[in-house]
Amino acid sequence: MATQVSRESFGTLDDGSRVDRWTLESGPGGLRVRVLTYGGIIQTVEAPDRDGARGQLALGFADLASYAAHGGSYFGALVGRYANRIAGASFTLDGETHTLTPNDGRHSLHGGPGGFSRVVWEAREVEGGVQLHRVSPAGEEGFPGALDVRVTYTLSAGALRIASYATTDAPTVVNLTNHTYLHLGGDGSGSATGHELRLTASRYTPVDGTGIPVPGAPADVTGTRFDFRAARAVAGSYDHNFVLDGGVCAAPRTVAELYDRRSGRVLELATTEPGLQLYTADHLDGTLTGTSGVPYGPAAGLALETQHFPDSPNRPDFPGTVLRPGETYRSQTVYAFSVRPRA
């Protein structure tokens, strides 16, 4: 059955900007995703459990005002220009140092305080989904070059595909991701740390106390709590980049599988990206309440952010994030949902 696409108003920001909500649905009882033009936010992801009951899996808010007030949690957000951290909120490109807007101590995080997650995007329907578009002006949050960005969200056969493209009129750096937190048992149903995770990652990037990778090569996961090459329950706190086997790929390859025994839901994640940031949402302390009406505590959801590595603009040993005029940035990530029967 073809994906059904619809649009409705989701409210108005304080500056008068209208925000729309787009709904993508792959048939009665199947996968349904709602996307906001504010921040490119995935507000809801609804998928059936092993008994066929569709549940809401993504952390998020029921109203626009909450997203505007609590954007620092990045629930469901389209993150850029640079996902993750850039040390000291600066980098040097072609001999010129660019100073960014710090918003994580002295570092730049997720594009700065006025990044892609805080703006309204233009939107148009495409086959099976919606495409968002905006031009980030030169100098926005300190980044060089005017960046023309298009991001499409499409549904097919129980899978959500996010495809991102960007071009620039001057050398710059780009690293986009989506920051959806998922609880496969259902939004508001407690901690997700019991989910079983498998990652095709033999290495990870150790970080200092501020989340910046330490000098040296990525570390081997063998014998550490970072070894998810065989599926096991997520336990403890994570906010770390995993180096995915295979590096940058031309087409998405499967890099992760997340499983919730209670509901039977399975998420299979495929991407073209070389890294994945696992974040267990430890900043959540019960002060924010989502669409379920239940306050969010630590690990209320897990973020699996496909991306290039943190601080790559300052680390020539990491996969490059430089984009030049005449080139096109391309990135794809696929979230495929299914169920396992009871054992």
Side-chain angles (χ1 to χ4, degrees), residues 189-252:
S189 59
S191 173
T193 54
H195 285 28
E196 295 177 13
L197 176 65
R198 178 179 58 81
L199 288 175
T200 59
S202 302
R203 296 176 297 157
Y204 76 103
T205 51
V207 294
D208 65 19
T210 66
I212 300 298
V214 300
D220 190 335
V221 301
T222 303
T224 75
R225 70 187 189 95
F226 299 95
D227 193 348
F228 287 96
R229 290 174 295 182
R232 63 181 179 84
V234 178
S237 173
Y238 292 90
D239 190 8
H240 295 82
N241 170 66
F242 287 78
V243 178
L244 299 173
D245 298 344
V248 178
C249 295

Side-chain angles (χ1 to χ4, degrees), residues 45-72:
V45 176
E46 299 168 75
D49 64 12
R50 63 163 60 96
D51 296 318
R54 188 160 61 181
Q56 210 291 90
L57 314 182
L59 273 59
F61 298 116
D63 60 273
L64 179 59
S66 295
Y67 282 109
H70 304 294

Side-chain angles (χ1 to χ4, degrees), residues 228-281:
F228 287 96
R229 290 174 295 182
R232 63 181 179 84
V234 178
S237 173
Y238 292 90
D239 190 8
H240 295 82
N241 170 66
F242 287 78
V243 178
L244 299 173
D245 298 344
V248 178
C249 295
R253 84 286 193 195
T254 301
V255 299
E257 184 180 84
L258 192 65
Y259 172 55
D260 174 48
R261 286 183 176 273
R262 182 174 62 84
S263 67
R265 293 188 182 95
V266 178
L267 166 65
E268 187 175 81
L269 189 66
T271 189
T272 58
E273 290 295 305
L276 182 148
Q277 186 88 3
L278 171 63
Y279 180 41
T280 49

